[in-house]
């Protein structure tokens, strides 16, 4: 090989190496960053925290299941393998289904923190699911920009005879039976939505033909992405029995503290463990709750009820 040929070969090798590096460098850099699923999980978890997320186990059909032992029984939450499926929440022999507001059949991706993400499940929207340690489940909507939908539909598959009933605070109870004899299966906590800067975004539920619909009223001033969350909390203990035994006892002591104590709404834990006692129909009904019997702690924390109930 003569001198000119060696120079030409060296130039060709240099150009080829440069082209290859130019082609692979961006991909290598991109792979070092978080995936869309990881970014979505991080955005959702910034809004919800991670302390109450229950780890899930993948089943043979691709679904993810979390089982919680409450001491009174087992609660199971199953997240679908794809966004076109439904969440299944089972406890005390009762199962409800919650379908996701998806327009694509993207597969769920479980992240390290336990959040299950369905990236691009709807236009300009990612969906995620978190099983919580109280046996509940959060269905998280991440709205990426102002071109996304403002309404998200969650079709409900409820047991025969069960009906959803919206409360004054925006939460939705699921009841069986009628009037004062109704039993509470569980509840969707009052709706919330947060912008990227942590500010609240107006949001509300409505029930239409067996579907829970969450409206998120973002506008040109909203900081995106926005996270919103229908949070299902089950009830595996007998609310009616507890109300019958303790309702008059709490009421009598609350009277000594004034009528304000009857409408106490005191959060006890960061993930909304609370109770709201209101007059409803022919008696008192616990109309907003999370965390089961721990809700009574919040009643005890209301004003002078601390002394009256202890």
């Amino acid at each position: 090989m003569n001198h000119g040929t060696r120079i030409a070969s060296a130039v060709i090798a240099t150009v080829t190496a440069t082209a290859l590096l130019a082609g692979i460098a961006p991909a290598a850099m991109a792979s070092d960053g978080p995936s869309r699923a990881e970014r979505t999980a991080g955005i959702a978890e910034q809004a919800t925290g991670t302390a109450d997320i229950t780890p899930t186990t993948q089943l043979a059909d691709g679904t993810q299941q979390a089982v919680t032992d409450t001491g009174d029984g087992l609660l199971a939450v199953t997240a679908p393998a794809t966004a076109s499926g439904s969440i299944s929440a089972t406890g005390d022999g009762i199962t409800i289904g919650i379908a996701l507001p998806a327009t694509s059949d993207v597969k769920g991706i479980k992240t390290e923190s336990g959040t299950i993400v369905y990236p691009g499940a709807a236009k300009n929207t990612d969906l995620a699911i978190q099983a919580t340690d109280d046996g509940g489940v959060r269905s998280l909507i991440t709205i990426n920009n102002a071109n996304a939908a403002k309404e998200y539909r969650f079709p409900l598959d409820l047991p025969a005879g069960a009906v959803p009933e919206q409360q004054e605070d925006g939460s939705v109870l699921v009841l069986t039976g009628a009037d004062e004899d109704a039993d509470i299966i569980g509840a969707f906590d009052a709706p919330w939505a947060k912008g990227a800067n942590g500010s609240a975004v107006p949001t509300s539920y409505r029930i239409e033909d067996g579907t829970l619909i969450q409206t998120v009223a973002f506008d040109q001033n909203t900081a995106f992405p926005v996270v919103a969350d229908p949070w299902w909390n089950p009830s595996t203990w007998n609310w009616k029995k507890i109300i019958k035994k303790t309702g008059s006892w709490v009421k009598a002591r609350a009277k000594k503290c004034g009528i304000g104590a009857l409408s106490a709404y005191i959060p006890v834990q960061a993930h909304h463990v609370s109770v709201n006692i209101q007059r409803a129909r022919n008696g008192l009904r616990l109309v907003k709750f999370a965390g089961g019997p721990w809700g009574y702690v919040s009643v005890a924390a209301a004003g002078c009820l601390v002394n009256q109930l202890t």
Side-chain angles (χ1 to χ4, degrees):
M1 181 182 294
N2 60 34
H3 182 67
T5 303
R6 286 197 298 271
I7 292 174
S9 298
V11 170
I12 292 170
T14 301
V15 171
T16 302
T18 302
L20 287 171
L21 286 172
I24 66 172
M29 291 175 64
S31 66
D32 292 337
S35 66
R36 180 170 178 174
E38 290 169 333
R39 289 195 302 271
T40 299
I43 292 166
E45 290 161 6
Q46 186 175 2
T48 65
T50 60
D52 65 342
I53 298 176
T54 296
T56 59
T57 300
Q58 183 167 320
L59 304 183
D61 60 358
T63 60
Q64 297 278 347
Q65 187 175 77
V67 178
T68 301
D69 188 350
T70 65
D72 295 321
L74 297 178
L75 298 174
V77 169
T78 304
T82 67
S84 63
S86 295
I87 300 168
S88 174
T90 301
D92 198 28
I94 297 171
T95 298
I96 76 156
I98 308 167
L100 299 174
T103 56
S104 69
D105 198 27
V106 63
K107 289 184 177 180
I109 300 171
K110 180 181 175 180
T111 60
E112 185 176 349
S113 57
T115 300
I116 301 159
V117 180
Y118 305 85
K123 183 179 179 181
N124 300 305
T125 303
D126 303 313
L127 301 177
I129 292 173
Q130 294 173 347
T132 57
D133 58 15
D134 53 9
V137 59
R138 287 191 282 257
S139 306
L140 294 150
I141 310 161
T142 299
I143 303 168
N144 293 313
N145 54 58
N147 295 319
K150 290 189 175 182
E151 287 193 350
Y152 296 88
R153 304 175 70 88
F154 296 84
L156 304 179
D157 183 8
L158 302 178
V163 294
E165 181 181 283
Q166 194 154 11
Q167 305 301 309
E168 291 180 3
D169 65 354
S171 61
V172 174
L173 294 182
V174 177
L175 307 170
T176 59
D179 298 327
E180 71 273 12
D181 293 324
D183 287 326
I184 302 173
I185 295 176
F188 289 96
D189 205 50
W192 61 265
K194 292 180 182 178
N197 57 5
S199 60
V201 178
T203 186
S204 61
Y205 291 149
R206 76 177 189 273
I207 302 295
E208 187 177 283
D209 298 328
T211 295
L212 177 74
I213 302 171
Q214 182 165 11
T215 299
V216 184
F218 53 79
D219 58 27
Q220 68 275 11
N221 297 317
T222 300
F224 291 95
V226 172
V227 178
D229 169 31
W231 185 7
W232 168 255
N233 287 288
S235 173
T236 59
W237 46 297
N238 193 329
W239 289 88
K240 186 171 64 175
K241 181 178 179 181
I242 290 175
I243 292 169
K244 183 177 180 180
K245 286 187 175 182
T246 64
S248 59
W249 177 68
V250 173
K251 183 179 178 181
R253 284 154 180 77
K255 280 185 175 180
K256 296 182 180 180
C257 301
I259 194 66
L262 286 174
S263 58
Y265 182 97
I266 308 296
V268 177
Q269 297 181 15
H271 58 284
H272 304 140
V273 176
S274 59
V275 71
N276 186 3
I277 293 183
Q278 295 182 351
R279 292 183 179 276
R281 297 193 176 101
N282 297 324
L284 290 173
R285 176 186 290 166
L286 293 169
V287 298
K288 184 176 185 296
F289 66 93
W294 283 105
Y296 279 101
V297 175
S298 62
V299 178
C304 71
L305 279 177
V306 171
N307 294 324
Q308 292 295 326
L309 297 182
T310 57

